[in-house]
Amino acid sequence: METENEQQRWAMDTLAIHAGQEPDPHSGAVMMPIVLSSTFAQESPGQHKGFEYSRSGNPTRQALECCLAALEGASHGFTFASGSAASTTLVHTLSPGDHVLCGDDVYGGTFRLFDKVMAPMKIETTFLDMQDASRVADAMRPETRMIWMETPTNPLLKIFDIARVASIAKDASIPLVVDNTFATPMLQRPLDLGATAVVHSTTKYLNGHSDAVGGAILTSDEALAERVGFLQNAIGAVPSPFDCYLVLRGLKTLGARMRNHVVSATDLAKRLEAHPAIERVIYPGLSSHPGHELASRQMTGFGGMITAIVRGGLEPARQMLEKLSVFYCAESLGGVESLAEHPAIMTHASVPPEQRAALGISDGLVRLSVGLEDVEDLWRDLDAALAN
Ligand code: P1T
């Protein structure tokens, strides 16, 4: 792929395979080399081929950053050692006294970042349900400097209206950050809907094979990009070239994987909804989901995550998680293998119990990451685990 302009003409599946990458000029290798060198020779002090030191920039990382930026329709991409490192770097664009509006349902680690790391640094966060976008406008304060949301949210799969919240952010001249980890750019492109920046845990669908931890920030806002680029180098929470390579390789099949995840998740959500041991299924693709209509407009597919409430609470939910065998009981999501987990005990344990109760993260709630195994095997596994 020669230029950014040419890249803009390519469809998503083509970008996922080629953006930011060309055959190696020395050998013709079609896969991006893993450049492990920590430093780069300079012809004269300050005269170099674009790389000085691998924390500041690395060829393998640059290829990944270009590919992710192309997929999200951004002009700038930055990658990090984890999704949490990406989020932490982004909130370091704020200053003491600033206020953040954050969606009420976010990954437990993101809640913890705002609640336990940023609050003592005098950055206050208000968590609110953004399903009614007018609540966002009402909650704005003169010192509000950032709006942050996940959609679909983790783990309740709420859908927030990106375009509406983006216009509220724009009126206040503050950035809207969308964590696009659950949808991926294959199913939702927040920047096209007016968001200022996208963050990702590349650990999940983007890598897709549960063998690398990473994160990313994508934006077309020049001032924000300049600051994030500075902070990426100054804070230094950068990914290794090997992890960049793994995510770059995983990205090549992102489109094919996401289409398959969506088909299987839709099928299983419908079957679970009719299962007597299940009290409620939350999946944006079901017409029973309150955000179904908005998700149909805002996304091109409903994702691979299903949340279900097991009838009877903690014990039946625990038994289900113990009995599953094709689904592994494990944190994380977005890999080729199916995973099931219990947010109240596992991924969202850092959210205080009263807040979990208010949100509806009950003890019977389990979260499924539907993988790429045969869907009938997945159904047999779920059905057997739900039998008493
Ligand atoms: O784990 P890490 O790469 O640091 O990413 C953090 C993160 C950020 N945003 C979202 C939406 C996430 O789901 C995560 C990580 N989530 C899990 C590990 C999980 O099981 O939900």
Side-chain angles (χ1 to χ4, degrees):
M1 299 240 157
E2 300 286 312
T3 64
E4 223 171 89
N5 278 349
E6 268 181 49
Q7 282 187 15
Q8 282 163 10
R9 295 206 310 267
W10 297 100
M12 293 293 280
D13 279 338
T14 312
L15 289 174
I17 293 168
H18 293 292
Q21 298 150 81
E22 277 180 17
D24 180 51
H26 305 297
S27 66
V30 299
M31 290 298 288
M32 183 70 207
I34 306 170
V35 180
L36 292 170
S37 192
S38 59
T39 191
F40 299 85
Q42 308 198 6
E43 282 145 42
S44 170
Q47 270 182 41
H48 51 76
K49 298 185 168 66
F51 299 99
E52 296 160 81
Y53 182 61
S54 265
R55 169 163 44 74
S56 320
N58 170 280
T60 316
R61 185 173 103 206
Q62 187 182 65
L64 174 61
E65 291 175 337
C66 290
C67 189
L68 289 172
L71 288 170
E72 288 287 6
S75 51
H76 300 276
F78 305 92
T79 54
F80 298 88
S82 66
S84 304
S87 301
T88 302
T89 303
L90 197 44
V91 295
H92 270 81
T93 60
L94 298 168
S95 306
D98 288 354
H99 170 249
V100 179
L101 281 179
C102 182
D104 59 348
D105 186 42
V106 285
Y107 168 57
T110 304
F111 174 83
R112 183 175 53 202
L113 170 66
F114 285 118
D115 186 49
K116 293 275 186 296
V117 182
M118 301 320 286
M121 293 168 71
K122 305 274 175 288
I123 291 167
E124 194 194 334
T125 303
T126 303
F127 297 92
L128 82 163
D129 187 348
M130 298 183 175
Q131 285 179 109
D132 176 0
S134 66
R135 297 193 57 200
V136 178
D138 294 344
M140 293 284 282
R141 299 184 195 166
E143 67 274 21
T144 306
R145 290 286 173 274
M146 181 179 277
I147 305 177
W148 187 291
M149 65 157 74
E150 292 176 9
T151 180
T153 66
N154 181 3
L156 293 167
L157 305 179
K158 291 184 192 181
I159 305 294
F160 298 150
D161 191 329
I162 298 173
R164 279 202 61 195
V165 177
S167 82
I168 295 167
K170 199 169 173 208
D171 287 347
S173 304
I174 62 170
L176 167 64
V177 176
V178 176
D179 183 330
N180 204 26
T181 298
F182 271 37
T184 82
M186 285 294 169
L187 305 182
Q188 173 174 278
R189 296 226 310 178
L191 300 184
D192 292 349
L193 298 168
T196 319
V198 164
V199 293
H200 275 286
S201 168
T202 58
T203 318
K204 311 299 179 332
Y205 289 106
L206 299 183
N207 175 54
H209 295 76
S210 304
D211 54 7
V213 173
I217 301 173
L218 299 316
T219 185
S220 296
D221 182 305
E222 293 299 325
L224 185 66
E226 198 183 323
R227 185 73 188 147
V228 168
F230 168 79
L231 291 171
Q232 181 195 39
N233 183 44
I235 295 174
V238 293
S240 74
F242 185 63
D243 284 345
C244 291
Y245 170 82
L246 287 174
V247 179
L248 210 42
R249 186 167 80 150
L251 280 177
K252 291 178 191 291
T253 55
L254 181 65
R257 285 187 285 110
M258 292 315 293
R259 288 188 283 278
N260 202 323
H261 285 300
V262 171
V263 170
S264 293
T266 305
D267 186 353
L268 294 180
K270 285 184 185 154
R271 296 201 217 183
L272 281 170
E273 205 171 35
H275 199 288
I278 296 291
E279 196 176 298
R280 191 175 151 220
V281 177
I282 306 171
Y283 180 67
L286 294 175
S287 54
S288 58
H289 190 291
H292 176 65
E293 199 259 328
L294 172 59
S296 309
R297 276 188 279 130
Q298 176 167 283
M299 306 174 76
T300 55
F302 300 106
M305 301 299 295
I306 302 174
T307 293
I309 292 130
V310 180
R311 223 177 268 288
L314 181 60
E315 272 324 302
R318 191 194 296 278
Q319 275 173 35
M320 174 202 176
L321 290 168
E322 284 172 1
K323 281 197 216 161
L324 285 168
S325 66
V326 182
F327 279 85
Y328 296 138
C329 174
E331 301 200 8
S332 204
L333 59 116
V336 292
E337 63 289 298
S338 292
L339 301 179
E341 67 111 11
H342 191 270
I345 298 176
M346 297 166 71
T347 51
H348 291 70
S350 51
V351 179
E354 335 60 85
Q355 193 157 338
R356 283 202 307 265
L359 278 170
I361 305 179
S362 63
D363 287 349
L365 186 142
V366 296
R367 192 191 73 185
L368 305 175
S369 171
V370 177
L372 302 185
E373 301 92 341
D374 184 275
V375 72
E376 294 306 326
D377 289 337
L378 293 178
W379 176 247
R380 267 196 296 279
D381 196 36
L382 289 170
D383 195 34
L386 286 167
N388 49 36

